[in-house]
Amino acid sequence: MRNLTKIFKALSDPNRIRIMKMLEEKELCLCEICSVLGLANSTVSKHLSILRDAFLITDNKQGK
């Protein structure tokens, strides 16, 4: 039940749904998502961490 609650909370924000739809098309970096949404890096990073904690996305680090 706890995981289901996390999923619904993660999907309750329109920006997180937009991020999910964008990532459905192709893999994007933080800066690309920020530019499309017009949000600060820290805000998008927080949205991504919520989606990751709900096991809706995975992350991949490249470079620095």
Side-chain angles (χ1 to χ4, degrees):
M1 186 70 160
R2 186 173 289 169
N3 288 337
L4 192 56
T5 303
K6 272 188 175 185
I7 291 170
F8 283 123
K9 283 184 180 181
L11 296 176
S12 68
D13 185 275
N15 284 319
R16 289 194 285 267
I17 292 175
R18 286 181 68 194
I19 291 170
M20 291 289 296
K21 292 301 286 179
M22 290 166 41
L23 293 174
E24 203 173 55
E25 297 297 318
K26 67 177 185 172
E27 191 174 289
L28 300 167
C29 69
L30 178 67
C31 61
E32 292 170 322
I33 296 170
C34 290
S35 120
V36 170
L37 296 179
L39 298 172
N41 283 6
S42 59
T43 304
V44 173
S45 182
K46 181 65 177 171
H47 284 313
L48 291 172
S49 71
I50 291 169
L51 292 170
R52 188 175 48 249
D53 290 345
F55 301 104
L56 295 171
I57 62 171
T58 59
D59 59 349
N60 178 18
K61 280 192 176 183
Q62 290 180 339
K64 291 184 180 180

